[in-house]
Every structure is written in structure tokens, then in C-alpha cells.
Amino acid sequence: MGVAQAERLLKSRWRTATMAAGWAFPADWPLAEVDDVCAAMLEDADPGDALVRLGRARAEAGAGLSETLLDLAALHAVLTDASHVVSPDVDALPSQMVRMTALGWADVVTKQAGDCAAEDPLTGLATAAYLRTRLGEVYRETPVASLDYALVLLRLDVHRASGWSRVVAMTLVSDALRTVFDGGETLATLGPCVAAVLVRRDGLLARRVSNLRVLAADRLADDPNVRPVGPAKVWVEQLPDTHAEARALLASLGR
């Protein structure tokens, strides 16, 4: 039997066992990562990386951990039982298979949880995900959002600073942001050294930006722990014409 044929047979038996065990959405089961795992198992290679990728792919597709491990148990049963009738048993899974698959699954779920949270725990500012939501609301409610609203950006120069100094510096400038923009504006973090404020354009905007620049500099100068951090760059960024373009802008600003 050729390698390709053996992989197809293993995949077919794995799928049959998983479906029989109660996989909820058959159309979601076939993935490129499934083929990678089959290849690794038949080549008698270390399947660790392939299992991590499978765990990630299952999480991204919305599969829960119990469902993901039951699918893995179906594979293990097929590999260890030559008969055509197999009974997946999660308890019989080798710990290494469970660990690698669960690591991949948890990696995605943890990131998704962080993206969905409304507030950054270190700075107290809203997350980038929340700012994207607010921008969506603005573009739906305001025909000319790009004219009525703007983003005030603050970026720290942290290339000479250590990890802890960066955290302290962002906490200090976040306090400055809240002091200057205290009228219900959306204040959010876009990255480890970037913060943004969604503001209405008015006659006071230029003065508030100037105040933020001065106050952020004062906050950083007062704390000796952040001396390696360079001055904060503060500027006004015009919103693009569409929400999709605004989302892309946020992604680029956060890098």
C-alpha cells in the first residue's frame, strides 16, 4: 500500500470513528491539520507539532476541548485497534498526545479571551477589540464619521527600555490620557507602547492634544524607573472613509 493510500485510509477510519462517537458538525471535521497528523503518525515521526496545530485549528473552528480530545481518542483507537469497530476512550490517550493538542487548543482560546475582554488589566484602558466595536458603532451612526471623529494617538519610544519599565511607562501615560480625556471618550491600548482615544472633532481638540503631550512628558519625567523610555509622541490621526479601512488602520498602528 502506498503512503498516500495509507494516509487516506487512516483519515477515513479516523473520521468514521469520530462521527460514531458523536462529532456534532461533520462538515467542520476535515482540516489540512488532520492530514498533517495522519502523515506524522504513519511516518512514525514525532507528531507533537502536528498535534499542536490540530488543537489550534479545532479551537479556531469553535470545537470545545472535550470534543477535540474525543476526536483525538478516536484517532488513537484507530491506530491501536486493527478492527473496523473502535470505541474512543479519552482516558486511554497517551499524556503526550493530550498535552500537545490541549496546548494548541488553549493557545487560541486564551488569545480569543484576551481579544474579547473589554479592559486591559495593566493600564485600565479599553482593549483594541473594544475600540474596534466602538468604531463600528460610530460608522453605522454617523454618515461622515471620518469628518466628525478622529483618533488621538500616543506612542512611546521604548527601544532602550526593559519590560518592566515599559509597563510602568504605559501605566503613567494611561493616567495622563484619562486626565485629559475625561468626557466619556473611548480610550484604548493598541499595542505594548501605543494608546488611542476616539474623539469628536471640535475646537478644543488641538488644545487637549497639546495638554496630553505636556502631561505625558511630566508623568514620565517624575518616575526614575522609566528614564530609559523616550518621549511620548502624540498626534491626531484622521479616520478613513470606511469601517474596514479603520480596522486596518488600527492594526497597523498597533504594530
Side-chain angles (χ1 to χ4, degrees):
M1 182 185 299
V3 174
Q5 185 178 359
E7 289 180 7
R8 286 195 297 271
L9 178 59
L10 175 58
K11 181 178 177 180
S12 176
R13 292 192 65 209
W14 180 6
R15 183 182 188 280
T16 299
T18 294
M19 296 305 126
W23 184 268
F25 302 100
D28 291 343
W29 186 83
L31 297 168
E33 289 78 9
V34 167
D35 297 328
D36 294 341
V37 171
C38 288
M41 293 298 181
L42 290 174
E43 291 170 3
D44 198 25
D46 182 358
D49 289 343
L51 290 172
V52 169
R53 293 195 299 273
L54 178 65
R56 287 176 181 152
R58 291 295 187 218
E60 288 169 351
L65 183 58
S66 59
E67 188 175 23
T68 300
L69 294 181
L70 183 63
D71 177 46
L72 192 66
L75 170 63
H76 182 253
V78 166
L79 290 170
T80 56
D81 189 341
S83 69
H84 290 285
V85 179
V86 296
S87 178
D89 181 4
V90 173
D91 292 336
L93 278 169
S95 59
Q96 182 71 355
M97 289 182 70
V98 173
R99 188 173 76 86
M100 301 309 290
T101 307
L103 279 174
W105 184 91
D107 182 47
V108 170
V109 172
T110 301
K111 183 178 184 301
Q112 289 174 343
D115 288 344
C116 292
E119 185 176 289
D120 178 77
L122 292 176
T123 63
L125 303 181
T127 62
Y130 182 77
L131 179 56
R132 289 194 295 269
T133 299
R134 280 290 297 124
L135 276 173
E137 294 170 348
V138 165
Y139 275 89
R140 287 192 296 271
E141 295 170 0
T142 309
V144 284
S146 59
L147 298 179
D148 292 345
Y149 286 83
L151 289 172
V152 175
L153 277 300
L154 184 152
R155 181 188 295 275
L156 289 176
D157 177 6
V158 296
H159 73 279
R160 293 184 294 113
S162 64
W164 180 243
S165 294
R166 297 181 183 191
V167 172
V168 173
M170 277 303 294
T171 302
L172 292 172
V173 296
S174 296
D175 179 66
L177 281 165
R178 284 190 292 269
T179 300
V180 175
F181 295 96
D182 59 352
E185 298 86 357
T186 299
L187 289 70
T189 57
L190 297 185
C193 59
V194 184
V197 186
L198 178 62
V199 297
R200 282 188 178 274
R201 290 185 176 275
D202 58 26
L204 298 177
L205 180 57
R207 180 183 297 176
R208 297 171 86 186
V209 169
S210 178
N211 289 343
L212 175 61
R213 192 175 289 117
V214 171
L215 188 57
D218 288 345
R219 292 283 195 273
L220 294 174
D222 286 343
D223 195 320
N225 293 313
V226 297
R227 294 293 165 77
V229 177
K233 178 183 178 183
V234 180
W235 76 100
V236 177
E237 188 80 28
Q238 181 174 344
L239 286 176
D241 293 332
T242 68
H243 183 214
E245 291 173 326
R247 290 173 63 94
L249 174 64
L250 289 186
S252 67
L253 290 170
R255 295 193 181 101

